[in-house]
Amino acid sequence: MKIVIHTLGCKVNQYESDSIALGLINKGHQVSSNLEKADAYIINTCAVTNEAEKKSRQVLAKVHRLNPNAKIYVCGCASQKDASKFLKNKNVIFVSGVANKLKLIDQIDKNRRQQKAEVDRLPKDYNETYISKPSKTRAYIKIQDGCNNFCSYCIIPYLRGRSRSRNVVEILNEIEILQESAKEIVLTGIDISDYKIDGKPALGKLLKMLGDYNIRIRLGSLEQGVITDEFLQVASEMKNLCPHFHLSLQSGSDSILKMMNRHYTTEQFYQTVVALRKIFVNPSITTDIIVGFPGETDEDFKQTIDFVKKVKFSSIHVFPYSKREGTVASRFKDLDGETKKKRVLILEKIKEKLQKDYLKLSRKTPHSVLIEQKEGNYFVGHSENYIKCYIKAKDLELNSFVNVKIKKPYIDGAIAKICKR
């Protein structure tokens, strides 16, 4: 049977989709991630914003156009939030939530004909899955699930449950397998900063274990507080750790950070960035900014602009505040949409300048690029500090490393030229 798995949202969802894919492949099914004609579809949904939840439902109509007779199976955060909305589509056979996504494999084999929703209770312990489908270049390894932060704007702790960490032996076993094909591994989770071993914070300890592997290690999104002296010591000793740190900021205004229930000040955040730049040469510091949070004044937004310029991020993920029912912030008075749009545009322009400034700094030293694909006349891949590099060359081997010099901005990255290290 041909089955398409369509994934929305975060890298954790992608990892879990890859685990489902491997399970289906092991049972003899043909699996694709392209939204194309198939016998059955699995939609792994997202609910981090209203727009993400809406897109999760809209996919059903796209699938129907591809094959009006196909059976559809739904899982993920949006169906965890409200399974009934997906059962309105007659082609949806089975709906589950966040937990036990692998049971979709058995549901497909049962060849069900009647609709059913079966949303399990969120687990207290980490759910082991299959490993993710092996990658030819970059592979994701999920090390943690859930979140205990309860930021006032975020619905994810209610949909994913409390923070729980994966057994370190299982993580190392998966790396042993994936390093045979992938050249880079990304550690991912809902809040990997809260990774624990035997109930104690242990992200630094895990990194120390990974330092001897012959594979590039990249970290997913981090909280500022995890960058301790111990973490910096371990990171500085690793030869295979990518100097790319995505530190989630959300606002450059201390009063808004407090309303968001973020547990740091802008000064603490800035000192963390300073510490990272003392350890690494020109590290990539990226972040998320929520624009138009309830109560964000013109002065608050100006403080965010000033702080973003002060930190000199290499890139920013900018998005407008999205009200999520059930969160603390949903009770606050929302800003008007026009104000949000204007502020997003302002910050996007600043983001473009910061990206160019970072590329200019990056021209000073060679970079190691993992070649991932061919696009037209260019071989394309990412550097250790996550610059997307476009390299014009006669022949380069996919899934190999080449040394390059950054030349100039191009599309969503930079033109780069092969050089000696």
Side-chain angles (χ1 to χ4, degrees), residues 68-126:
N69 299 314
K71 293 180 179 179
I72 304 172
Y73 302 80
V74 180
C75 63
C77 289
S79 53
Q80 178 79 27
K81 184 171 178 285
D82 191 348
S84 64
K85 288 184 178 179
F86 293 92
L87 290 173
K88 291 177 181 179
N89 186 300
K90 65 178 183 180
N91 284 49
V92 173
I93 299 298
F94 186 81
V95 180
S96 65
V98 166
N100 303 318
K101 290 183 180 181
L102 293 181
K103 68 183 178 183
L104 292 179
I105 299 170
D106 293 330
Q107 291 296 326
I108 287 173
D109 283 345
K110 285 179 181 178
N111 198 24
R112 298 183 57 86
R113 296 190 179 279
Q114 291 184 329
Q115 286 188 318
K116 183 180 181 182
E118 195 175 283
V119 178
D120 295 345
R121 293 181 65 180
L122 294 169
K124 294 182 179 179
D125 299 316
Y126 185 91

Side-chain angles (χ1 to χ4, degrees), residues 1-4 37-41 67 69-73:
M1 183 187 298
K2 182 175 180 180
I3 303 166
V4 164
K37 188 172 182 180
D39 303 302
Y41 296 82
N67 183 357
N69 299 314
K71 293 180 179 179
I72 304 172
Y73 302 80

Side-chain angles (χ1 to χ4, degrees), residues 299-343:
E299 177 58 27
D300 291 321
F301 183 60
K302 182 180 181 300
Q303 288 173 14
T304 293
I305 290 172
D306 292 343
F307 188 70
V308 161
K309 291 178 179 178
K310 178 182 177 181
V311 174
K312 298 178 181 177
F313 292 105
S314 54
S315 188
I316 309 169
H317 178 205
V318 184
F319 52 102
Y321 168 75
S322 177
K323 182 178 179 180
R324 307 305 285 135
E325 293 297 336
T327 63
V328 172
S330 68
R331 302 195 293 268
F332 302 162
K333 185 178 179 181
D334 204 356
L335 297 188
D336 65 278
E338 196 58 37
T339 297
K340 291 181 189 179
K341 286 180 183 178
K342 286 179 180 177
R343 290 179 181 175

Side-chain angles (χ1 to χ4, degrees), residues 6 45 54 57 76 82 90 164 166 202 207 213 234 241 255 296 312 328 389 418:
H6 184 73
T45 64
K54 182 180 176 182
R57 296 193 298 271
D82 191 348
K90 65 178 183 180
R164 47 205 186 271
R166 187 178 182 187
L207 287 180
Y213 281 89
V234 170
L241 180 67
S255 62
E296 183 185 71
K312 298 178 181 177
V328 172
C389 294
I418 295 174

